[in-house]
Amino acid sequence: MVTRRHAVSLFLAAPFCAGPALAQGTGPLPVMASFSILADMVRQVGGEHVAVTSLVGPDGDAHSYAPTPADARALAAAKVIVVNGLGFEGWMTRLVRSSGTRAKVITAASGVTPLKAEEAHGHGHSHGHSHGANDPHAWQNVANARLYVKAIASGLSEADGARAEAYQRNAAAYDATLVALDTEIRAAIGAIPRAQRRLLTTHDAFRYFARAYEVDVLAVRGVSSDSEPSARQIAAIIRQIREGKVSALFMENISDPRAIQRIAAETGAKIGGKLFSDALSEAGGPAATYVDMMRHNARQIAGAMAQG
Ligand SMILES: [Zn+2]
């Protein structure tokens, strides 16, 4: 285990007080991530060298999060802040500014080629805030997650140069895990005939997944989770299910399941389970890490489509 090896080398270095890591202070680097998926990635790269907290916790919805004064204080204490970017957590920019933090800010998706946000089913968002022009859910493609890890590793290395080698080594090991995960997802989805790969989710969080793994995904709502579907949108979805354009329906951990349940009841279509879109599960749940989340989603999707 990589983490264990680091712990040992720190112990060995301690009595001599010679390591550059010790010259800069021995405590773990305080890191604040905007949401749980990023927090896990930072833990994988940082190991015992980082103390990570997530502003939006497991099963939380980062689209509509309302930061508290305590969040601003926590940001002020962080040495590194990790955000997704692509307009995902718009509230974060303001929070970083108002907190007065001097932390280094890492934008995890900075290396990603974004998909443009499509207005779902022709309705416009008319809220007082902007969701941006890009679809932020880039982590749903493992190839993008590898870019996230690269950005996180280089950001941590810059902020904490004494431990740069450890960050790079952990990132390389984690990257190999992600490559294997990507292969596993391709095999699971690839086993389903292409014409059967059509699913319906609550909010449009799976477009990167759809592109990467060749699945057709419909969503009741757009790329943000805070717009209620109109009766007209639900009617359009029901029509598409009746025309055989959907083979599996899914609920999400961060979204209200009622629209999907209503659609299932009206069409007789079966709900294939729950997908984790924008947040991990609690520890001990089926999606406690990014790798577990992607594996869980792929298995649920493949299992439901196989019957469709
Ligand atoms: Zn989302």
Side-chain angles (χ1 to χ4, degrees):
M1 291 294 290
V2 174
T3 353
R4 188 56 64 86
R5 200 162 58 229
H6 293 163
V8 169
S9 68
L10 271 185
F11 265 111
L12 290 177
F16 306 105
C17 289
L22 294 165
Q24 199 176 306
T26 49
L29 186 71
V31 182
M32 179 64 83
S34 58
F35 72 118
S36 54
I37 293 170
L38 290 183
D40 173 55
M41 290 177 176
V42 174
R43 264 179 220 116
Q44 303 296 334
V45 174
E48 81 278 18
H49 303 306
V50 294
V52 195
T53 36
S54 182
L55 275 179
V56 182
D59 297 321
D61 183 352
H63 289 287
S64 59
Y65 185 70
T68 65
D71 291 338
R73 287 194 295 276
L75 275 193
K79 286 274 190 292
V80 174
I81 295 166
V82 187
V83 300
N84 183 73
L86 303 178
F88 182 55
E89 60 286 78
W91 45 270
M92 193 76 181
T93 319
R94 227 165 21 245
L95 185 64
V96 166
R97 207 177 303 136
S98 70
S99 73
T101 186
R102 302 178 69 162
K104 176 180 180 59
V105 178
I106 301 173
T107 303
S110 57
V112 165
T113 306
L115 293 177
K116 292 284 161 225
E118 279 168 9
E119 288 301 345
H121 322 300
H123 80 291
H125 287 293
S126 53
H127 311 294
H129 59 286
S130 163
H131 298 302
N134 292 319
D135 180 339
H137 306 91
W139 61 85
Q140 288 291 347
N141 173 356
V142 177
N144 288 338
R146 296 178 63 197
L147 298 174
Y148 279 39
V149 168
K150 217 171 154 186
I152 291 167
S154 77
L156 289 180
S157 301
E158 278 171 35
D160 185 14
R163 292 155 170 168
E165 206 184 305
Y167 297 136
Q168 297 300 334
R169 198 165 46 227
N170 289 351
Y174 187 44
D175 187 63
T177 304
L178 294 179
V179 170
L181 174 68
D182 190 63
T183 306
E184 186 186 324
I185 296 173
R186 278 178 202 290
I189 305 293
I192 311 297
R194 184 65 184 85
Q196 245 165 277
R197 297 186 210 158
R198 295 171 312 221
L199 59 97
L200 176 72
T201 60
T202 307
H203 90 291
D204 213 352
F206 293 93
R207 292 172 66 234
Y208 288 90
F209 185 97
R211 284 276 183 100
Y213 306 110
E214 297 181 55
V215 175
D216 298 331
V217 181
L218 278 177
V220 180
R221 304 178 199 188
V223 295
S224 183
S225 55
D226 57 2
S227 55
E228 276 306 316
S230 67
R232 196 168 58 97
Q233 286 171 275
I234 293 197
I237 294 279
I238 287 173
R239 199 165 53 242
Q240 285 175 298
I241 293 174
R242 294 207 168 120
E243 287 166 2
K245 289 180 180 160
V246 171
S247 42
L249 269 61
F250 284 96
M251 299 182 290
E252 280 170 36
N253 67 323
I254 66 151
S255 297
D256 187 332
R258 281 175 297 185
I260 287 281
Q261 284 164 342
R262 201 184 124 198
I263 290 164
E266 283 196 32
T267 57
K270 209 168 127 266
I271 294 177
K274 186 167 78 174
L275 300 180
F276 290 83
S277 52
D278 298 18
L280 301 178
S281 67
E282 297 281 358
T289 65
Y290 171 74
V291 169
D292 285 347
M293 177 188 91
M294 294 303 291
R295 183 175 286 140
H296 169 88
N297 286 350
R299 284 181 184 169
Q300 293 267 302
I301 289 170
M305 290 189 311
Q307 296 165 20

